[in-house]
Amino acid sequence: MAEERTIRIGMLGCGTVGGAVIRLLHEHGDDLAQRAGVRLAVARVAVRDPERDRGVPLAADVFTDDVRAVVDDPEIDVVCELMGGVDPARELILRGFANGKSAVTANKELLAAHGEELFAAADEAGRDLYFEAAVAGGIPLIRPLRESLAGERVDRILGIVNGTTNFVLTQMSEQGWTSGEAVAEAQRLGFAEADPTADVEGYDAAAKCAILATVAFGARVVARDVYREGISSVTPQDFVDADRLGYVIKLLAIAELEDEEIAVRVHPAMIPEAHPLASVRGASNAVFVEGPRIGQLMFYGAGAGGDPTATAVVGDLVSVSRNLVQGARGLSMAPTNHRPVRSMGETTDQYYLKLHVEDRPGVLAEVADRFGRHGISLERVWQEGFGDEATLSFITHRAQERAFQETVEELRGLPAVHAIASLLRVEGEE
Ligand SMILES: NC(=O)c1ccc[n+]([C@@H]2O[C@H](COP(=O)([O-])OP(=O)(O)OC[C@H]3O[C@@H](n4cnc5c(N)ncnc54)[C@H](OP(=O)(O)O)[C@@H]3O)[C@@H](O)[C@H]2O)c1
């Protein structure tokens, strides 16, 4: 048997994920060493407060508050960044590359803003940057997209990539709660932060969407390219209506190719009850991947939590360590094409629109005419009368976002239209 090498890991952060990584390496260290031919040793750990007991099986003198000492330590082979945030994580990983170290990170915020710079620095240093845990925590997703599907031309990804909002939407759907009530319950159960903005307003999902598009399309996509709408405007009535029509409502991260351009967006959407993503409840994550050869794939599981996320980090640590020992590298993440990102107005989608209108003959024709003028055809129409007022609901065929929004503005101005009661996009049908 070949001689076992020890790879020394410098951790930046020992919180929920970092602590779980250290425990996992301790528990499975011998097994991993045997199978991988590489022993992973946590040599230094930088935290803000090195005095605090973290309940991990490491000697107290391994801890430091000097983050630079970790990335500058010539004995460290791999930097494992689990501190989160853009600064100083970005500078530390870059410094690690400059010092010849590979890196593993779970930091979606950093990658979605500075991925291109970090991937280029990894290439220049001839080192790896692995980030399986940055999207959908414990679900193996980045490696399948980056490696297993390297021969496929993935053309669409639909993902439930934020467990907090999926939990909130599930509660709204099953309990009839408002989003505020469901967020409060999520906070009580530890599924939502004290400040839930990053989750509820879709920032977290947008960062993950940018990373998925970058990996799947070999392109440069950053978080601010991603159109973003959160879940606060979804009402309990929307769930009642969706249910009657055979749909569920999910916050989706969508990355797709449209005419060789990239469309990336995060918003609540109605999906048919029969779609595989419709049955993803609670804080679970799932990502649906489509390509011409592979057809449809779905990845499902725990999108967060210390232990699930730690398995993804440890998998990456094993891979980069083996690469270091063998003098090899993982696939480069340098962009292989320069497809532009479409502005939201140019993208196409199906739409659900519910209007409160005057209950008199001719109103449906008047409203349908506005859709027709903008070249939008209607797939399904429902009409219900309630005395003076009626409800008109529509699902369109795929239409251009700009044309649809212009239609809605015109409808808003019609005297017969009393209110735009609901507007949701429809995914997973065509
Ligand atoms: N938690 C999850 O389920 C999950 C899932 C997927 C991805 N992630 C990602 O994993 C990363 C870590 O998340 P987490 O939940 O483990 O975070 P966390 O519990 O808040 O832990 C962060 C750790 O980093 C240390 N730290 C932060 N800023 C520092 C600084 N400037 N200098 C030194 N140490 C610093 C903290 O030190 P102290 O302990 O001394 O404060 C703490 O040990 C984030 O990028 C997150 O997005 C998390």
Side-chain angles (χ1 to χ4, degrees):
M1 212 171 113
E3 192 195 336
E4 179 186 295
R5 272 271 313 267
T6 296
I7 291 291
R8 293 165 60 90
I9 296 164
M11 308 251 317
L12 301 172
C14 182
T16 306
V17 182
V21 166
I22 292 168
R23 283 187 286 272
L24 188 54
L25 286 175
H26 180 73
E27 279 169 38
H28 296 175
D30 290 342
D31 185 35
L32 283 173
Q34 240 177 8
R35 289 165 56 208
V38 184
R39 180 163 293 275
L40 307 184
V42 177
R44 305 204 82 171
V45 181
V47 288
R48 274 184 294 230
D49 176 7
E51 302 304 321
R52 186 150 62 83
D53 178 15
R54 290 155 195 283
V56 292
L58 285 180
D61 63 1
V62 170
F63 289 90
T64 173
D65 58 3
D66 185 352
V67 283
R68 288 200 166 197
V70 173
V71 296
D72 286 343
D73 183 342
E75 299 280 297
I76 297 287
D77 303 298
V78 176
V79 173
C80 182
E81 188 277 306
L82 298 169
M83 59 201 294
V86 170
D87 294 313
R90 170 182 158 271
E91 184 233 319
L92 293 170
I93 292 176
L94 290 172
R95 209 172 155 106
F97 288 143
N99 289 332
K101 303 175 198 317
S102 282
V104 170
T105 180
N107 193 332
K108 65 220 139 198
E109 194 188 347
L110 174 64
L111 288 171
H114 299 284
E116 193 180 27
E117 178 191 26
L118 292 165
F119 297 134
D123 282 352
E124 198 179 321
R127 290 292 179 255
D128 280 325
L129 174 58
Y130 275 38
F131 51 99
E132 182 62 67
V135 184
I139 306 173
L141 180 63
I142 300 299
R143 189 181 316 243
L145 284 173
R146 186 177 175 179
E147 297 177 12
S148 320
L149 293 171
E152 172 61 306
R153 189 177 178 281
V154 168
D155 49 26
R156 181 186 287 175
I157 295 179
L158 297 180
I160 295 173
V161 292
N162 181 271
T164 304
T165 44
N166 203 54
F167 177 85
V168 168
L169 293 173
T170 305
Q171 294 296 314
M172 291 178 75
S173 155
E174 295 177 3
Q175 312 289 342
W177 290 345
T178 63
S179 60
E181 287 167 337
V183 168
E185 175 70 355
Q187 285 169 324
R188 197 181 67 76
L189 295 173
F191 288 123
E193 306 273 341
D195 176 1
T197 312
D199 295 320
V200 170
E201 297 306 328
Y203 290 99
D204 174 83
K208 292 164 177 171
C209 188
I211 296 170
L212 287 175
T214 299
V215 179
F217 305 142
R220 178 184 181 280
V221 182
V222 295
R224 62 173 185 281
D225 291 328
V226 180
Y227 172 84
R228 182 188 50 75
E229 259 178 49
I231 60 166
S232 13
S233 61
V234 181
T235 66
Q237 185 62 42
D238 287 333
F239 285 94
V240 175
D241 293 338
D243 186 51
R244 276 199 310 157
L245 305 177
Y247 293 88
V248 298
I249 300 173
K250 296 289 181 191
L251 182 73
L252 293 186
I254 301 162
E256 59 189 342
L257 292 180
E258 285 190 2
D259 307 325
E260 293 305 314
E261 293 186 353
I262 293 170
V264 271
R265 54 191 196 272
V266 167
H267 52 67
M270 298 207 319
I271 50 177
E273 271 165 4
H275 193 282
L277 287 174
S279 56
V280 177
R281 296 176 61 253
S284 297
N285 281 196
V287 178
F288 196 72
V289 177
E290 297 179 4
R293 292 169 189 81
I294 202 74
Q296 300 177 325
L297 288 175
M298 185 150 111
F299 300 83
Y300 169 83
D307 282 339
T309 307
T311 66
V313 174
V314 170
D316 280 354
L317 288 172
V318 170
S319 295
V320 303
S321 299
R322 281 171 57 87
N323 284 348
L324 276 177
V325 169
Q326 294 165 358
R329 287 191 66 212
L331 297 182
S332 167
M333 282 294 301
T336 49
N337 67 69
H338 298 282
R339 291 193 186 102
V341 176
R342 271 201 168 171
S343 70
M344 188 60 183
E346 301 302 312
T347 62
T348 63
D349 217 334
Q350 283 188 273
Y351 302 88
Y352 163 76
L353 184 70
K354 179 179 171 185
L355 306 175
H356 290 157
V357 299
E358 200 179 321
D359 193 7
R360 63 165 169 78
V363 174
L364 174 57
E366 204 180 329
V367 170
D369 174 62
R370 297 293 157 154
F371 281 104
R373 287 193 207 180
H374 287 277
I376 299 175
S377 60
L378 299 173
E379 185 186 277
R380 295 162 77 186
V381 181
W382 298 266
Q383 182 171 19
E384 284 176 278
F386 303 98
D388 289 346
E389 198 167 74
T391 296
L392 289 180
S393 306
F394 307 90
I395 289 182
T396 70
H397 281 292
R398 211 162 169 100
Q400 192 198 45
E401 171 84 13
R402 177 178 301 117
F404 178 76
Q405 295 296 351
E406 285 172 3
T407 309
V408 172
E409 277 322 298
E410 281 184 25
L411 292 174
R412 215 186 282 281
L414 289 183
V417 174
H418 296 167
I420 309 286
S422 185
L423 190 174
L424 284 163
R425 295 175 178 83
V426 180
E427 305 291 341
E429 284 212 311
E430 287 184 350

